[in-house]
Amino acid sequence: MSFAATVRHFQTLVMSFHPIIVIETVEEERAQALVSKAANSLQMAVFDWSIAQGLARSPGSPHARWTNEYAPPHSNLPQAIGKTAEPIDMLRHVQTINFKAIYLLKDFAKHLNEAVVARQFREVAHQFAHHSSTLVITGQAIELPVEIAHEAVWFDLKLPEPDELYQAIADVSRSLQGRIKVALQPEDIHAFVQAMRGMTLKQAKKVVAYAALEDGKLDSSDVARILERKAQVIREGGLLDYFPPQQNAAELGGFTGLKQWLARAQVGFGAQARTFNLTPPKGILIVGIQGCGKSLAAKTIARQWNRPLLKLDAGRLYDKYVGQSERNFRQATTLAETMAPVVLWIDEIEKGLGLNSGDADGGLSRRLFGYFLTWLQEKSQDVFVVATANDLSQIPPELLRKGRFDEIFFVDLPEAAERTAIFKIHLSRRQQMPDSFDIAALVQATEGFSGAEIEQAIICALYRAIYQQQPLETALLLQEIKATVPLSVSRREDLQRLRAIALERFVNVK
């Protein structure tokens, strides 16, 4: 939805007598711009309130009589109305205003825990319901008392869409005029916008300004800087990790069945599939033995389809505060939808949406699981979900039934041909010549090894070779392999149980 469409949606809510609108966002300035734009078209006054400032007519608001219209932008702050800093005083004053207006109340929700303030707020809201004035509450992690929540409508201010990001690039270029050289072609600007998707407007402007000022110019080479900063911003959010296509070097040995399925599934995103009213693939679930390439498969899918990869560790969703876990899930899926087309990798899904908690968490895991199923079924954006799981016993049965995912794959221990490919990949990655090793002997020695165990044996052997000041050779590798006890031995019964269940119900990746 473009910013103009967002404004129209907000205007519709105001005109349809909604007295309380809640905008839960960290982008306070953008919410303020939305309210101002909507109010100007409706010819309504706008008042801002904060506990620090009190109530004041918003700059640029129609009939803002006590601001200097000829002063430079942002050179003076609006003059606050006397004795309106306290929430109760502000609400009583608002009740006396007899013309239509929108009141932007910043971080106001916490004050509604006071009984007198909550009662006065409801009386103002009842009054506004009859003449189209509106109270807009903004802030982060908003919780409303029950008696107020049922009268409020929540407005979803999504992350900036391309039209806002194009404007952000123009604004930064104009503000830095004379200090930087702008050398952007239309395709470069498009690449900038794609790289900025998933960031707040303020973050996007900052990262463009940083990229421009670092070398005194804004050109196509700055896309890499933006992607690097974007990965950092998403990681700082604490829920997701971001892997841009340019930095995804994943290689997957074997998995022929999965690769063939992916090649077929990719056509589901094309125009021909849409002409037949076919819905694009929703996602896949990969279950199997630890260290056998489930995580690598998720990265390879993103690389093969040339899409960004977002990784969600399901365990990160949980928070000690009531309602925050659900909010974390909404935040993660909203970010994924904003960045579409994207691959969303939910790692160890059974830890966050499984059965391990029972009733000990007050039903939170079941609620999150319900949210996930609903979102997976109804998501409208091109987000392909790759969920991975190790423990089948903790996965809810509803998730395993046909139709939830497009396919469920089982990853078993690698066979001889796959182990050959794994050895060649990891030896080459560490500047070793695979042809100088007895690969056949290594493959035979690693019967029952996972891909991760093979990689670790190579790493340990390389450390030993460096320590002994000698080149890596087959004998050193065999020595490390013999010293390793693979999972197929240490957890033989668990693996046999998993294999028995999976081979009957799921598709093998081979």
Side-chain angles (χ1 to χ4, degrees):
M1 182 186 293
S2 66
F3 187 69
T6 302
V7 171
R8 288 195 296 272
H9 178 38
F10 183 84
Q11 288 173 329
T12 302
L13 291 176
V14 172
M15 290 187 295
S16 56
F17 304 98
H18 286 83
I20 307 170
I21 299 176
V22 179
I23 305 179
E24 190 175 70
T25 179
V26 297
E27 298 189 87
E28 187 177 277
E29 293 179 8
R30 190 159 162 255
Q32 190 159 6
L34 165 71
V35 171
S36 296
K37 185 89 172 171
N40 282 335
S41 298
L42 296 172
Q43 285 298 297
M44 294 176 68
V46 179
F47 290 87
D48 295 344
W49 178 88
S50 73
I51 192 70
Q53 168 188 284
L55 188 69
R57 186 76 69 102
S58 179
S61 173
H63 316 299
R65 297 184 298 276
W66 47 83
T67 60
N68 182 359
E69 296 178 3
Y70 301 99
H74 309 301
S75 63
N76 62 338
L77 293 173
Q79 182 179 349
I81 300 170
K83 295 183 179 180
T84 56
E86 290 299 320
I88 190 67
D89 294 331
M90 178 272 294
L91 290 171
R92 287 169 178 164
H93 178 83
V94 164
Q95 204 168 18
T96 67
I97 296 176
N98 57 7
F99 54 85
K100 293 180 182 179
I102 300 176
Y103 299 88
L104 184 64
L105 311 181
K106 301 171 182 176
D107 302 321
F108 190 79
K110 64 187 72 174
H111 303 292
L112 292 172
N113 293 324
E114 301 175 30
V116 176
V117 174
R119 179 66 255 178
Q120 185 66 49
F121 184 86
R122 292 180 67 193
E123 290 182 4
V124 172
H126 293 160
Q127 178 179 319
F128 282 6
H130 299 290
H131 62 75
S132 295
S133 284
T134 302
L135 299 162
V136 180
I137 299 175
T138 65
Q140 187 179 10
I142 295 174
E143 297 286 345
L144 298 180
V146 176
E147 63 273 16
I148 292 174
H150 81 277
E151 298 185 49
V153 60
W154 292 71
F155 185 86
D156 188 11
L157 183 62
K158 295 186 180 297
L159 289 166
E161 292 293 333
D163 59 332
E164 294 178 84
L165 297 176
Y166 278 111
Q167 187 60 48
I169 297 171
D171 291 344
V172 171
S173 300
R174 187 165 48 251
S175 67
L176 297 177
Q177 191 172 13
R179 301 171 61 188
I180 64 168
K181 179 183 178 181
V182 179
L184 293 175
Q185 300 300 319
E187 59 270 20
D188 298 329
I189 298 175
H190 177 73
F192 266 58
V193 169
Q194 288 302 112
M196 292 156 60
R197 295 291 298 271
M199 305 174 88
T200 66
L201 199 58
K202 185 179 290 186
Q203 288 169 342
K205 288 181 178 180
K206 285 180 178 179
V207 74
V208 172
Y210 176 83
L213 291 170
E214 188 177 41
D215 57 3
K217 63 179 184 292
L218 202 58
D219 58 22
S220 58
S221 67
D222 290 317
V223 172
R225 292 190 180 92
I226 292 174
L227 287 173
E228 183 179 346
R229 175 57 186 152
K230 178 178 177 177
Q232 184 179 348
V233 166
I234 292 175
R235 192 162 50 246
E236 288 169 355
L239 290 176
L240 296 162
D241 290 319
Y242 172 69
F243 304 90
Q246 297 87 337
Q247 298 175 13
N248 187 349
E251 281 188 83
L252 191 61
F255 284 56
T256 304
L258 174 62
K259 290 175 180 176
Q260 291 174 348
W261 186 91
L262 292 171
R264 293 193 301 270
Q266 192 170 7
V267 304
F269 300 105
Q272 189 174 5
R274 289 194 293 271
T275 62
F276 292 108
N277 294 321
L278 295 175
T279 57
K282 298 189 294 289
I284 59 175
L285 173 63
I286 306 177
V287 299
I289 299 167
Q290 292 180 12
C292 286
K294 298 187 297 297
S295 300
L296 193 57
K299 294 178 181 178
T300 303
I301 292 168
R303 183 187 183 192
Q304 184 173 322
W305 289 356
N306 194 32
R307 292 186 174 199
L309 175 68
L310 286 173
K311 178 188 176 185
L312 170 64
D313 184 341
R316 293 189 195 176
L317 292 172
Y318 287 87
D319 193 280
K320 63 182 178 180
Y321 297 108
V322 175
Q324 187 60 43
S325 299
E326 294 93 329
R327 189 176 288 112
N328 286 342
F329 180 79
R330 290 196 301 270
Q331 181 182 337
T333 53
T334 297
L335 179 58
E337 290 180 338
T338 302
M339 293 176 60
V342 69
V343 173
L344 176 62
W345 167 26
I346 304 179
D347 192 26
E348 296 184 314
I349 191 171
E350 73 273 23
K351 287 187 177 180
L353 305 174
L355 302 172
N356 53 330
S357 299
D359 295 325
D361 60 0
L364 175 58
S365 59
R366 297 300 297 175
R367 291 198 301 275
L368 284 177
F369 176 67
Y371 293 151
F372 172 71
L373 289 185
T374 301
W375 174 78
L376 185 65
Q377 192 68 32
E378 298 180 358
K379 63 183 174 66
S380 57
Q381 300 301 318
D382 187 0
V383 179
F384 186 80
V385 177
V386 180
T388 60
N390 295 322
D391 190 351
L392 267 180
S393 66
Q394 297 301 327
I395 299 178
E398 303 97 311
L399 199 60
L400 299 177
R401 79 165 177 80
K402 274 290 187 183
R404 294 298 189 192
F405 289 99
D406 295 287
E407 195 57 85
I408 302 177
F409 289 94
F410 171 63
V411 182
D412 207 340
L413 292 167
E415 296 176 351
E418 294 166 323
R419 295 200 300 279
T420 300
I422 291 168
F423 268 110
K424 290 181 178 180
I425 288 172
H426 288 297
L427 286 170
S428 299
R429 187 171 291 171
R430 290 165 179 84
Q431 287 73 54
Q432 305 297 311
M433 298 295 294
D435 293 342
S436 63
F437 294 86
D438 187 349
I439 298 293
L442 295 173
V443 167
Q444 184 177 0
T446 51
E447 177 71 35
F449 276 55
S450 68
E453 288 164 342
I454 292 173
E455 180 184 14
Q456 193 59 36
I458 294 173
I459 292 171
C460 292
L462 267 170
Y463 276 125
R464 179 172 294 194
I466 294 171
Y467 176 75
Q468 296 177 357
Q469 295 293 298
Q470 68 176 84
L472 182 63
E473 56 187 21
T474 301
L476 273 180
L477 278 170
L478 289 172
Q479 193 174 346
E480 285 297 335
I481 290 167
K482 290 175 181 176
T484 302
V485 180
L487 278 176
S488 60
V489 174
S490 62
R491 296 184 59 189
R492 181 181 290 110
E493 294 77 11
D494 292 339
L495 297 187
Q496 288 175 346
R497 190 181 310 113
L498 173 61
R499 187 179 284 127
I501 296 172
L503 289 178
E504 292 179 357
R505 304 182 187 179
F506 309 138
V507 177
N508 199 306
V509 297
K510 298 176 182 178

